[in-house]
Amino acid sequence: MPLTFRNFVNRINKHVKMIVTLPKDPIILLGYINTKLRDDYSSLALLCDDLNVDESELKARLASIGYTYDSSLNKFI
């Protein structure tokens, strides 16, 4: 895999704990997470691991507005 800027950042992130402040508004959170999944991550587990986010808590927050994670589509629907 060629070393692109995104690959470089991903390598750095694996060695440094990132402090990520997720949007508080659930609708904005939905857009943020689905964009990250589309552009940067092949699964929710990888996103949560890289961003140091509890996967079950994230799923619960988005379930509160009627969205569930679809792994085959890699997005919340």
Side-chain angles (χ1 to χ4, degrees):
M1 173 183 325
L3 184 61
T4 63
F5 180 73
R6 182 177 291 164
N7 291 339
F8 174 75
V9 169
N10 287 339
R11 286 183 185 180
I12 297 296
N13 289 343
K14 292 191 185 300
H15 298 288
V16 177
K17 288 276 187 189
M18 290 179 52
I19 298 174
V20 175
T21 303
L22 294 177
K24 301 290 184 214
D25 182 279
I27 299 298
I28 294 172
L29 176 63
L30 172 67
Y32 175 80
I33 294 299
N34 275 342
T35 298
K36 295 297 267 178
L37 288 169
R38 181 192 68 215
D39 295 346
D40 300 325
Y41 296 97
S42 60
S43 73
L44 182 60
L46 289 173
L47 178 145
C48 290
D49 183 52
D50 276 358
L51 300 182
N52 199 27
V53 173
D54 182 86
E55 185 174 338
S56 59
E57 183 179 318
L58 179 60
K59 285 180 174 180
R61 285 179 65 189
L62 293 177
S64 73
I65 59 168
Y67 286 82
T68 58
Y69 179 67
D70 183 324
S71 60
S72 66
L73 298 174
N74 191 36
K75 68 179 181 178
F76 282 86
I77 56 171

